[in-house]
Amino acid sequence: MTPGSTSGTAVRPSWDQLPAPLRDGLTERLGPITHVQVQTGGFTPGLAARVSLAAGERVFVKGISADHPLAGRYRDEARVVRALPKAVPAPRLHWDEVIAGWLVLAFDDVPGRHADLSPRSADVGRVVDTVAALAADLTPCPVPDVPDARDELASLVHGWRELAASPQPHPDGWVRRNLGRLAAAETAWLAAADGTTLLHGDINRSNLLINTDQLFLVDWGQPVRGAAWIDIADLIPHLILAGHTPQAAETAVAPALTAVGAAPETLTSYAIAFAGYWARMARRPDPPGVPHLRHHQTRASKAAVRWAAHRTGWLSVRT
Ligand SMILES: Nc1ncnc2c1ncn2[C@@H]1O[C@H](COP(=O)(O)OP(=O)(O)OP(=O)(O)O)[C@@H](O)[C@H]1O
Ligand SMILES: [Mg+2]
């Protein structure tokens, strides 16, 4: 799960910084290259670039050294995207290959921008509708061997128990006063995570691309199989991060969540777990080559804590 990524966050290799055998291999595979625009969204330190070809075509190419710890995500992405039904708005995968020791995926290029999730943005309704519509095409899960959401997310989307055991106090007073309750409540949602829907698993602004007439969901490298409410609920903290009040963010997705039958107690526990995940991750040291992630997770955690405070209604009264 990548928290509410923004533009300009990833430190990605420029074309010139790529190993020469990879550049040569890409040129051989794609034909003569006239222009390369490195994409700065997201946090992964892999190659992500829009490539213009002498033949006039443009492709989006992403890649990472095949022995990088994140290479598995790229393999999963290729496997998932290839199996997506046509109705799912994802760029078409042209090919995936190992070139000069790098795992490379080439997609249709989307000449778009990241969705604007701020209040009053016309993108918001479109994003909510698109994410809400996914389940109809992705149930039952069309890809074999996708991990179950409950197993996969249980070890990821949590944080308060760990932080409660840490000697370092949390900077937020509401969190400190409610830490015991937050820790106790952060797993209840898992009982409602089972399902047969293929979930994107990383719904955030940097993975939502809009061009004039279409919205595309990119970056399918963290798929899970589970309950449809999860991808929809993931929008809420990102809407808050983009400036919505918790109430307004919930209102924007409420019909979609009601349609898939998400129980209020489940969402409250999920909001708590989500905030805990970001708070826990924000304390970790920077991963190599990813300098902006922890700062972003700190901001994101504050947004999700507001969501959790809104949902729980727990007061900031000292006990
Ligand atoms: N098909 C596409 N056409 C044009 N731009 C794209 C396309 N797919 C992705 N992008 C841009 O490249 C950025 C990175 O792509 P993507 O999210 O797939 O890579 P990643 O390295 O796995 O990302 P992350 O850092 O988010 O984990 C996106 O935020 C988006 O701006
Ligand atoms: Mg991404």
Side-chain angles (χ1 to χ4, degrees), residues 131-161:
V131 173
L134 291 174
D137 296 310
L138 298 179
T139 313
C141 178
V143 190
D145 303 323
V146 170
D148 280 330
R150 190 181 172 126
D151 301 337
E152 193 75 0
L153 302 183
S155 56
L156 188 72
V157 188
H158 67 89
W160 299 121
R161 278 161 302 162

PDB file of all heavy atoms in Angstrom, residues 131-161:
ATOM      1  N   VAL A 131     -13.623   3.512  -9.393  1.00  0.00           N
ATOM      2  CA  VAL A 131     -13.170   2.517  -8.412  1.00  0.00           C
ATOM      3  C   VAL A 131     -14.342   1.632  -7.983  1.00  0.00           C
ATOM      4  O   VAL A 131     -14.212   0.409  -7.862  1.00  0.00           O
ATOM      5  CB  VAL A 131     -12.494   3.207  -7.204  1.00  0.00           C
ATOM      6  CG1 VAL A 131     -12.163   2.204  -6.109  1.00  0.00           C
ATOM      7  CG2 VAL A 131     -11.221   3.921  -7.659  1.00  0.00           C
ATOM      8  N   ALA A 132     -15.514   2.277  -7.815  1.00  0.00           N
ATOM      9  CA  ALA A 132     -16.691   1.496  -7.390  1.00  0.00           C
ATOM     10  C   ALA A 132     -17.111   0.495  -8.462  1.00  0.00           C
ATOM     11  O   ALA A 132     -17.635  -0.574  -8.147  1.00  0.00           O
ATOM     12  CB  ALA A 132     -17.844   2.438  -7.068  1.00  0.00           C
ATOM     13  N   ALA A 133     -16.863   0.833  -9.724  1.00  0.00           N
ATOM     14  CA  ALA A 133     -17.300  -0.053 -10.819  1.00  0.00           C
ATOM     15  C   ALA A 133     -16.374  -1.254 -11.014  1.00  0.00           C
ATOM     16  O   ALA A 133     -16.728  -2.223 -11.694  1.00  0.00           O
ATOM     17  CB  ALA A 133     -17.378   0.753 -12.115  1.00  0.00           C
ATOM     18  N   LEU A 134     -15.189  -1.210 -10.432  1.00  0.00           N
ATOM     19  CA  LEU A 134     -14.212  -2.283 -10.679  1.00  0.00           C
ATOM     20  C   LEU A 134     -14.747  -3.655 -10.291  1.00  0.00           C
ATOM     21  O   LEU A 134     -14.559  -4.645 -11.001  1.00  0.00           O
ATOM     22  CB  LEU A 134     -12.914  -2.019  -9.889  1.00  0.00           C
ATOM     23  CG  LEU A 134     -12.056  -0.840 -10.323  1.00  0.00           C
ATOM     24  CD1 LEU A 134     -10.908  -0.641  -9.332  1.00  0.00           C
ATOM     25  CD2 LEU A 134     -11.505  -1.091 -11.730  1.00  0.00           C
ATOM     26  N   ALA A 135     -15.427  -3.712  -9.133  1.00  0.00           N
ATOM     27  CA  ALA A 135     -15.824  -5.021  -8.592  1.00  0.00           C
ATOM     28  C   ALA A 135     -16.700  -5.804  -9.564  1.00  0.00           C
ATOM     29  O   ALA A 135     -16.600  -7.030  -9.645  1.00  0.00           O
ATOM     30  CB  ALA A 135     -16.532  -4.841  -7.255  1.00  0.00           C
ATOM     31  N   ALA A 136     -17.529  -5.089 -10.328  1.00  0.00           N
ATOM     32  CA  ALA A 136     -18.422  -5.795 -11.256  1.00  0.00           C
ATOM     33  C   ALA A 136     -17.621  -6.593 -12.279  1.00  0.00           C
ATOM     34  O   ALA A 136     -18.018  -7.680 -12.693  1.00  0.00           O
ATOM     35  CB  ALA A 136     -19.332  -4.785 -11.956  1.00  0.00           C
ATOM     36  N   ASP A 137     -16.468  -6.072 -12.675  1.00  0.00           N
ATOM     37  CA  ASP A 137     -15.653  -6.758 -13.677  1.00  0.00           C
ATOM     38  C   ASP A 137     -14.602  -7.675 -13.056  1.00  0.00           C
ATOM     39  O   ASP A 137     -14.000  -8.491 -13.751  1.00  0.00           O
ATOM     40  CB  ASP A 137     -14.931  -5.719 -14.555  1.00  0.00           C
ATOM     41  CG  ASP A 137     -15.927  -4.880 -15.342  1.00  0.00           C
ATOM     42  OD1 ASP A 137     -16.809  -5.486 -15.979  1.00  0.00           O
ATOM     43  OD2 ASP A 137     -15.844  -3.634 -15.278  1.00  0.00           O
ATOM     44  N   LEU A 138     -14.354  -7.493 -11.768  1.00  0.00           N
ATOM     45  CA  LEU A 138     -13.238  -8.232 -11.144  1.00  0.00           C
ATOM     46  C   LEU A 138     -13.720  -9.262 -10.120  1.00  0.00           C
ATOM     47  O   LEU A 138     -12.938  -9.717  -9.280  1.00  0.00           O
ATOM     48  CB  LEU A 138     -12.261  -7.229 -10.521  1.00  0.00           C
ATOM     49  CG  LEU A 138     -11.608  -6.275 -11.532  1.00  0.00           C
ATOM     50  CD1 LEU A 138     -10.670  -5.303 -10.838  1.00  0.00           C
ATOM     51  CD2 LEU A 138     -10.851  -7.059 -12.610  1.00  0.00           C
ATOM     52  N   THR A 139     -15.010  -9.598 -10.184  1.00  0.00           N
ATOM     53  CA  THR A 139     -15.567 -10.627  -9.314  1.00  0.00           C
ATOM     54  C   THR A 139     -16.225 -11.687 -10.195  1.00  0.00           C
ATOM     55  O   THR A 139     -17.086 -11.322 -11.005  1.00  0.00           O
ATOM     56  CB  THR A 139     -16.636 -10.038  -8.371  1.00  0.00           C
ATOM     57  OG1 THR A 139     -16.133  -8.830  -7.776  1.00  0.00           O
ATOM     58  CG2 THR A 139     -17.023 -11.020  -7.290  1.00  0.00           C
ATOM     59  N   PRO A 140     -15.894 -12.955 -10.099  1.00  0.00           N
ATOM     60  CA  PRO A 140     -14.816 -13.478  -9.277  1.00  0.00           C
ATOM     61  C   PRO A 140     -13.445 -13.071  -9.825  1.00  0.00           C
ATOM     62  O   PRO A 140     -13.326 -12.745 -11.003  1.00  0.00           O
ATOM     63  CB  PRO A 140     -15.017 -14.996  -9.377  1.00  0.00           C
ATOM     64  CG  PRO A 140     -15.692 -15.208 -10.693  1.00  0.00           C
ATOM     65  CD  PRO A 140     -16.551 -13.998 -10.906  1.00  0.00           C
ATOM     66  N   CYS A 141     -12.461 -13.129  -8.966  1.00  0.00           N
ATOM     67  CA  CYS A 141     -11.097 -12.710  -9.299  1.00  0.00           C
ATOM     68  C   CYS A 141     -10.617 -13.427 -10.573  1.00  0.00           C
ATOM     69  O   CYS A 141     -10.575 -14.653 -10.615  1.00  0.00           O
ATOM     70  CB  CYS A 141     -10.182 -13.054  -8.129  1.00  0.00           C
ATOM     71  SG  CYS A 141      -8.463 -12.646  -8.424  1.00  0.00           S
ATOM     72  N   PRO A 142     -10.286 -12.657 -11.640  1.00  0.00           N
ATOM     73  CA  PRO A 142      -9.913 -13.294 -12.906  1.00  0.00           C
ATOM     74  C   PRO A 142      -8.458 -13.777 -12.975  1.00  0.00           C
ATOM     75  O   PRO A 142      -8.047 -14.307 -13.994  1.00  0.00           O
ATOM     76  CB  PRO A 142     -10.144 -12.175 -13.926  1.00  0.00           C
ATOM     77  CG  PRO A 142      -9.934 -10.914 -13.161  1.00  0.00           C
ATOM     78  CD  PRO A 142     -10.330 -11.185 -11.741  1.00  0.00           C
ATOM     79  N   VAL A 143      -7.696 -13.572 -11.912  1.00  0.00           N
ATOM     80  CA  VAL A 143      -6.269 -13.927 -11.931  1.00  0.00           C
ATOM     81  C   VAL A 143      -6.032 -15.038 -10.909  1.00  0.00           C
ATOM     82  O   VAL A 143      -6.457 -14.905  -9.754  1.00  0.00           O
ATOM     83  CB  VAL A 143      -5.395 -12.704 -11.565  1.00  0.00           C
ATOM     84  CG1 VAL A 143      -3.919 -12.995 -11.811  1.00  0.00           C
ATOM     85  CG2 VAL A 143      -5.835 -11.469 -12.320  1.00  0.00           C
ATOM     86  N   PRO A 144      -5.361 -16.128 -11.293  1.00  0.00           N
ATOM     87  CA  PRO A 144      -5.088 -17.188 -10.315  1.00  0.00           C
ATOM     88  C   PRO A 144      -3.993 -16.785  -9.322  1.00  0.00           C
ATOM     89  O   PRO A 144      -3.178 -15.905  -9.618  1.00  0.00           O
ATOM     90  CB  PRO A 144      -4.615 -18.372 -11.185  1.00  0.00           C
ATOM     91  CG  PRO A 144      -4.153 -17.758 -12.454  1.00  0.00           C
ATOM     92  CD  PRO A 144      -4.875 -16.462 -12.638  1.00  0.00           C
ATOM     93  N   ASP A 145      -4.017 -17.430  -8.185  1.00  0.00           N
ATOM     94  CA  ASP A 145      -2.933 -17.296  -7.193  1.00  0.00           C
ATOM     95  C   ASP A 145      -2.688 -15.873  -6.700  1.00  0.00           C
ATOM     96  O   ASP A 145      -1.538 -15.480  -6.465  1.00  0.00           O
ATOM     97  CB  ASP A 145      -1.612 -17.865  -7.761  1.00  0.00           C
ATOM     98  CG  ASP A 145      -1.766 -19.314  -8.183  1.00  0.00           C
ATOM     99  OD1 ASP A 145      -2.490 -20.045  -7.490  1.00  0.00           O
ATOM    100  OD2 ASP A 145      -1.187 -19.690  -9.223  1.00  0.00           O
ATOM    101  N   VAL A 146      -3.746 -15.126  -6.571  1.00  0.00           N
ATOM    102  CA  VAL A 146      -3.612 -13.800  -5.950  1.00  0.00           C
ATOM    103  C   VAL A 146      -3.794 -14.004  -4.439  1.00  0.00           C
ATOM    104  O   VAL A 146      -4.716 -14.704  -4.022  1.00  0.00           O
ATOM    105  CB  VAL A 146      -4.682 -12.836  -6.506  1.00  0.00           C
ATOM    106  CG1 VAL A 146      -4.724 -11.544  -5.715  1.00  0.00           C
ATOM    107  CG2 VAL A 146      -4.404 -12.538  -7.977  1.00  0.00           C
ATOM    108  N   PRO A 147      -2.927 -13.435  -3.604  1.00  0.00           N
ATOM    109  CA  PRO A 147      -3.054 -13.678  -2.162  1.00  0.00           C
ATOM    110  C   PRO A 147      -4.358 -13.128  -1.582  1.00  0.00           C
ATOM    111  O   PRO A 147      -4.886 -12.121  -2.072  1.00  0.00           O
ATOM    112  CB  PRO A 147      -1.850 -12.946  -1.559  1.00  0.00           C
ATOM    113  CG  PRO A 147      -1.336 -12.045  -2.617  1.00  0.00           C
ATOM    114  CD  PRO A 147      -1.792 -12.579  -3.945  1.00  0.00           C
ATOM    115  N   ASP A 148      -4.863 -13.801  -0.565  1.00  0.00           N
ATOM    116  CA  ASP A 148      -6.090 -13.328   0.079  1.00  0.00           C
ATOM    117  C   ASP A 148      -5.821 -12.044   0.856  1.00  0.00           C
ATOM    118  O   ASP A 148      -4.822 -11.934   1.574  1.00  0.00           O
ATOM    119  CB  ASP A 148      -6.630 -14.394   1.035  1.00  0.00           C
ATOM    120  CG  ASP A 148      -7.395 -15.465   0.265  1.00  0.00           C
ATOM    121  OD1 ASP A 148      -7.976 -15.127  -0.786  1.00  0.00           O
ATOM    122  OD2 ASP A 148      -7.388 -16.621   0.700  1.00  0.00           O
ATOM    123  N   ALA A 149      -6.746 -11.096   0.733  1.00  0.00           N
ATOM    124  CA  ALA A 149      -6.599  -9.797   1.395  1.00  0.00           C
ATOM    125  C   ALA A 149      -6.385  -9.984   2.895  1.00  0.00           C
ATOM    126  O   ALA A 149      -5.534  -9.327   3.510  1.00  0.00           O
ATOM    127  CB  ALA A 149      -7.828  -8.941   1.139  1.00  0.00           C
ATOM    128  N   ARG A 150      -7.158 -10.883   3.461  1.00  0.00           N
ATOM    129  CA  ARG A 150      -7.084 -11.048   4.912  1.00  0.00           C
ATOM    130  C   ARG A 150      -5.669 -11.447   5.351  1.00  0.00           C
ATOM    131  O   ARG A 150      -5.125 -10.897   6.301  1.00  0.00           O
ATOM    132  CB  ARG A 150      -8.101 -12.108   5.321  1.00  0.00           C
ATOM    133  CG  ARG A 150      -8.320 -12.221   6.790  1.00  0.00           C
ATOM    134  CD  ARG A 150      -9.335 -13.328   7.009  1.00  0.00           C
ATOM    135  NE  ARG A 150      -9.455 -13.632   8.409  1.00  0.00           N
ATOM    136  CZ  ARG A 150     -10.620 -13.623   9.058  1.00  0.00           C
ATOM    137  NH1 ARG A 150     -11.729 -13.323   8.456  1.00  0.00           N
ATOM    138  NH2 ARG A 150     -10.653 -13.942  10.329  1.00  0.00           N
ATOM    139  N   ASP A 151      -5.076 -12.397   4.637  1.00  0.00           N
ATOM    140  CA  ASP A 151      -3.717 -12.840   5.010  1.00  0.00           C
ATOM    141  C   ASP A 151      -2.695 -11.750   4.708  1.00  0.00           C
ATOM    142  O   ASP A 151      -1.819 -11.441   5.504  1.00  0.00           O
ATOM    143  CB  ASP A 151      -3.316 -14.087   4.209  1.00  0.00           C
ATOM    144  CG  ASP A 151      -4.278 -15.226   4.454  1.00  0.00           C
ATOM    145  OD1 ASP A 151      -4.938 -15.203   5.511  1.00  0.00           O
ATOM    146  OD2 ASP A 151      -4.393 -16.105   3.575  1.00  0.00           O
ATOM    147  N   GLU A 152      -2.819 -11.190   3.509  1.00  0.00           N
ATOM    148  CA  GLU A 152      -1.807 -10.246   3.043  1.00  0.00           C
ATOM    149  C   GLU A 152      -1.840  -8.941   3.849  1.00  0.00           C
ATOM    150  O   GLU A 152      -0.808  -8.389   4.205  1.00  0.00           O
ATOM    151  CB  GLU A 152      -2.087  -9.950   1.556  1.00  0.00           C
ATOM    152  CG  GLU A 152      -0.981  -9.237   0.842  1.00  0.00           C
ATOM    153  CD  GLU A 152       0.208 -10.134   0.520  1.00  0.00           C
ATOM    154  OE1 GLU A 152       0.178 -11.345   0.859  1.00  0.00           O
ATOM    155  OE2 GLU A 152       1.185  -9.612  -0.037  1.00  0.00           O
ATOM    156  N   LEU A 153      -3.047  -8.458   4.126  1.00  0.00           N
ATOM    157  CA  LEU A 153      -3.155  -7.147   4.767  1.00  0.00           C
ATOM    158  C   LEU A 153      -3.026  -7.214   6.283  1.00  0.00           C
ATOM    159  O   LEU A 153      -2.692  -6.226   6.929  1.00  0.00           O
ATOM    160  CB  LEU A 153      -4.479  -6.467   4.368  1.00  0.00           C
ATOM    161  CG  LEU A 153      -4.684  -6.272   2.859  1.00  0.00           C
ATOM    162  CD1 LEU A 153      -5.987  -5.526   2.573  1.00  0.00           C
ATOM    163  CD2 LEU A 153      -3.515  -5.516   2.218  1.00  0.00           C
ATOM    164  N   ALA A 154      -3.262  -8.420   6.856  1.00  0.00           N
ATOM    165  CA  ALA A 154      -3.161  -8.553   8.322  1.00  0.00           C
ATOM    166  C   ALA A 154      -1.771  -8.159   8.815  1.00  0.00           C
ATOM    167  O   ALA A 154      -1.622  -7.534   9.864  1.00  0.00           O
ATOM    168  CB  ALA A 154      -3.479  -9.982   8.746  1.00  0.00           C
ATOM    169  N   SER A 155      -0.762  -8.497   8.024  1.00  0.00           N
ATOM    170  CA  SER A 155       0.602  -8.211   8.475  1.00  0.00           C
ATOM    171  C   SER A 155       1.048  -6.814   8.055  1.00  0.00           C
ATOM    172  O   SER A 155       2.152  -6.388   8.378  1.00  0.00           O
ATOM    173  CB  SER A 155       1.562  -9.261   7.910  1.00  0.00           C
ATOM    174  OG  SER A 155       1.440  -9.265   6.505  1.00  0.00           O
ATOM    175  N   LEU A 156       0.203  -6.116   7.311  1.00  0.00           N
ATOM    176  CA  LEU A 156       0.608  -4.813   6.775  1.00  0.00           C
ATOM    177  C   LEU A 156      -0.179  -3.651   7.385  1.00  0.00           C
ATOM    178  O   LEU A 156       0.403  -2.682   7.882  1.00  0.00           O
ATOM    179  CB  LEU A 156       0.386  -4.859   5.248  1.00  0.00           C
ATOM    180  CG  LEU A 156       0.904  -3.682   4.451  1.00  0.00           C
ATOM    181  CD1 LEU A 156       2.425  -3.727   4.407  1.00  0.00           C
ATOM    182  CD2 LEU A 156       0.342  -3.716   3.021  1.00  0.00           C
ATOM    183  N   VAL A 157      -1.519  -3.753   7.333  1.00  0.00           N
ATOM    184  CA  VAL A 157      -2.358  -2.608   7.696  1.00  0.00           C
ATOM    185  C   VAL A 157      -2.691  -2.632   9.192  1.00  0.00           C
ATOM    186  O   VAL A 157      -3.741  -3.099   9.622  1.00  0.00           O
ATOM    187  CB  VAL A 157      -3.640  -2.577   6.833  1.00  0.00           C
ATOM    188  CG1 VAL A 157      -4.417  -1.277   7.079  1.00  0.00           C
ATOM    189  CG2 VAL A 157      -3.300  -2.700   5.358  1.00  0.00           C
ATOM    190  N   HIS A 158      -1.757  -2.173   9.970  1.00  0.00           N
ATOM    191  CA  HIS A 158      -1.896  -2.082  11.425  1.00  0.00           C
ATOM    192  C   HIS A 158      -0.721  -1.240  11.925  1.00  0.00           C
ATOM    193  O   HIS A 158       0.183  -0.936  11.145  1.00  0.00           O
ATOM    194  CB  HIS A 158      -1.834  -3.475  12.076  1.00  0.00           C
ATOM    195  CG  HIS A 158      -0.478  -4.101  11.933  1.00  0.00           C
ATOM    196  ND1 HIS A 158       0.533  -3.921  12.850  1.00  0.00           N
ATOM    197  CD2 HIS A 158       0.064  -4.863  10.949  1.00  0.00           C
ATOM    198  CE1 HIS A 158       1.617  -4.550  12.449  1.00  0.00           C
ATOM    199  NE2 HIS A 158       1.369  -5.123  11.299  1.00  0.00           N
ATOM    200  N   GLY A 159      -0.730  -0.901  13.178  1.00  0.00           N
ATOM    201  CA  GLY A 159       0.429  -0.155  13.670  1.00  0.00           C
ATOM    202  C   GLY A 159       0.365   0.195  15.148  1.00  0.00           C
ATOM    203  O   GLY A 159       1.390   0.335  15.806  1.00  0.00           O
ATOM    204  N   TRP A 160      -0.864   0.346  15.674  1.00  0.00           N
ATOM    205  CA  TRP A 160      -0.958   0.921  17.016  1.00  0.00           C
ATOM    206  C   TRP A 160      -0.453  -0.022  18.104  1.00  0.00           C
ATOM    207  O   TRP A 160       0.106   0.429  19.101  1.00  0.00           O
ATOM    208  CB  TRP A 160      -2.384   1.355  17.305  1.00  0.00           C
ATOM    209  CG  TRP A 160      -2.885   2.407  16.352  1.00  0.00           C
ATOM    210  CD1 TRP A 160      -3.966   2.318  15.534  1.00  0.00           C
ATOM    211  CD2 TRP A 160      -2.303   3.697  16.093  1.00  0.00           C
ATOM    212  NE1 TRP A 160      -4.103   3.466  14.785  1.00  0.00           N
ATOM    213  CE2 TRP A 160      -3.098   4.331  15.115  1.00  0.00           C
ATOM    214  CE3 TRP A 160      -1.176   4.378  16.590  1.00  0.00           C
ATOM    215  CZ2 TRP A 160      -2.806   5.604  14.630  1.00  0.00           C
ATOM    216  CZ3 TRP A 160      -0.893   5.654  16.107  1.00  0.00           C
ATOM    217  CH2 TRP A 160      -1.702   6.252  15.147  1.00  0.00           C
ATOM    218  N   ARG A 161      -0.626  -1.350  17.914  1.00  0.00           N
ATOM    219  CA  ARG A 161      -0.090  -2.254  18.948  1.00  0.00           C
ATOM    220  C   ARG A 161       1.423  -2.098  19.033  1.00  0.00           C
ATOM    221  O   ARG A 161       2.000  -2.027  20.107  1.00  0.00           O
ATOM    222  CB  ARG A 161      -0.445  -3.723  18.623  1.00  0.00           C
ATOM    223  CG  ARG A 161      -1.853  -4.121  19.040  1.00  0.00           C
ATOM    224  CD  ARG A 161      -2.278  -5.354  18.314  1.00  0.00           C
ATOM    225  NE  ARG A 161      -2.207  -5.131  16.870  1.00  0.00           N
ATOM    226  CZ  ARG A 161      -2.190  -6.077  15.941  1.00  0.00           C
ATOM    227  NH1 ARG A 161      -2.215  -7.335  16.299  1.00  0.00           N
ATOM    228  NH2 ARG A 161      -2.140  -5.778  14.660  1.00  0.00           N
TER     229      ARG A 161
END
